[in-house]
Amino acid sequence: MEFNTYIGRAGTGKSTAMLNQIKNKMKQDPLGDPIVLIAPTQSTFQLEQAFVNDSELHGSLRTEVLHFERLSHRVFQEVGGLTEQRLSKAALEMMIFHIVQQHESDLKLYGSQAQYYGLSEKLAEQIQDFKKYNVTPEHLDQLIENHSIQTRTKHKLEDISLIYKQLESRMNGEFITTEDSLQQFIEILSQSQWIKKAEVFIDGFHICHHFRCVYVCIFQIFFIQSIIDGYFS
């Protein structure tokens, strides 16, 4: 297994060189080991078209263009491990709304806003952002305890921590968010035989939030470790 990096400024042909390399592999051995091209969600269709519209390929079963969510679904299908029901955006907001109503008297800042339209949506977005950056309620509690924070900000963080904890408690073992499923995907990735024998290419993550960048780094570490294990075995 090789680990290659295309380095250069924007517009110097890195993506084109990578696509040409993939196409050559597909032409040489259309039924060979899997080739996985990982790209941002908005780029997958364009990259798929680059293969479909190439008249020299005549079709191939080797290459899949996947974003991280779809890749995680592919790995879960093989390895298993995802038993919880995934929460939709609306279901998550409804669950948070019920938590806010139930704990209205305990909320220091949001208690007076519990009936406001859109509060549960904003809280859902905030908690999802925390999950993307792998921030837990315990991290919020540590921040509040170890730092001097303005009273209003402190009350806001305490309220979010309370709602976040209650949400985690209600979802535990029964429901899961997209961010949680991707975290589980990282944990089981090394068990996938399909990934281990695949050639993986990553492209297009020029601007991405922190969690997606973590996935890219984990893939790099995973394949470097595979090379080391193969060399010394």
Side-chain angles (χ1 to χ4, degrees):
M1 184 182 297
E2 294 183 352
F3 181 78
N4 299 313
T5 304
Y6 293 89
I7 300 175
R9 294 176 299 175
T12 55
K14 301 185 296 298
S15 296
T16 300
M18 183 194 64
L19 289 175
N20 288 337
Q21 182 182 354
I22 295 174
K23 289 179 180 179
N24 289 334
K25 291 178 180 292
M26 294 167 67
K27 293 172 186 176
Q28 294 168 8
D29 189 4
L31 298 177
D33 287 336
I35 297 174
V36 181
L37 173 54
I38 304 170
T41 304
Q42 66 271 18
S43 303
T44 54
F45 179 76
Q46 181 180 358
L47 291 169
E48 286 174 342
Q49 291 299 302
F51 297 119
V52 171
N53 294 330
D54 192 324
S55 59
E56 297 181 5
L57 288 178
H58 306 295
S60 174
L61 299 176
R62 288 189 69 181
T63 302
E64 293 185 63
V65 182
L66 304 171
H67 51 78
F68 278 115
E69 286 81 0
R70 187 61 188 169
L71 177 64
S72 68
H73 178 72
R74 180 75 167 76
V75 172
F76 280 126
Q77 279 188 318
E78 176 195 358
V79 178
L82 187 62
T83 59
E84 298 90 347
Q85 181 179 349
R86 182 169 297 184
L87 280 179
S88 66
K89 180 176 181 292
L92 179 64
E93 291 174 9
M94 290 172 65
M95 190 174 290
I96 290 176
F97 177 81
H98 186 263
I99 292 171
V100 170
Q101 300 303 309
Q102 189 176 34
H103 294 273
E104 181 176 354
S105 60
D106 300 321
L107 299 175
K108 299 177 180 179
L109 180 65
Y110 292 127
S112 60
Q113 306 173 30
Q115 304 300 326
Y116 285 6
Y117 175 78
L119 176 62
S120 57
E121 180 182 3
K122 295 298 182 183
L123 287 170
E125 291 175 356
Q126 181 66 75
I127 291 174
Q128 284 179 309
D129 284 340
F130 281 144
K131 285 178 175 289
K132 289 174 183 177
Y133 287 87
N134 206 24
V135 176
T136 66
E138 289 71 27
H139 290 140
L140 296 179
D141 292 340
Q142 291 175 8
L143 175 65
I144 296 169
E145 182 179 351
N146 299 330
H147 294 81
S148 178
I149 305 175
Q150 290 183 345
T151 302
R152 183 178 176 82
T153 303
K154 180 180 179 181
H155 288 170
K156 178 179 180 179
L157 292 175
E158 287 173 341
D159 286 355
I160 293 175
S161 177
L162 171 62
I163 296 167
Y164 196 170
K165 288 176 184 176
Q166 291 297 319
L167 179 65
E168 293 289 278
S169 177
R170 293 194 183 190
M171 292 195 306
N172 186 32
E174 189 173 358
F175 300 104
I176 195 169
T177 65
T178 299
E179 290 75 21
D180 291 327
S181 67
L182 289 172
Q183 181 62 39
Q184 287 191 21
F185 159 65
I186 292 173
E187 296 171 358
I188 68 167
L189 178 60
S190 60
Q191 302 175 32
S192 172
Q193 297 302 314
W194 171 71
I195 280 290
K196 285 183 178 179
K197 67 181 181 180
E199 292 188 63
V200 177
F201 295 81
I202 303 174
D203 184 53
F205 291 92
H206 311 299
I207 301 175
C208 59
H209 62 63
H210 176 75
F211 218 32
R212 293 299 191 278
C213 293
V214 170
Y215 298 151
V216 173
C217 292
I218 286 174
F219 260 94
Q220 294 174 346
I221 294 169
F222 174 71
F223 285 107
I224 290 174
Q225 186 62 50
S226 298
I227 295 170
I228 294 172
D229 293 343
Y231 181 80
F232 288 105
S233 60

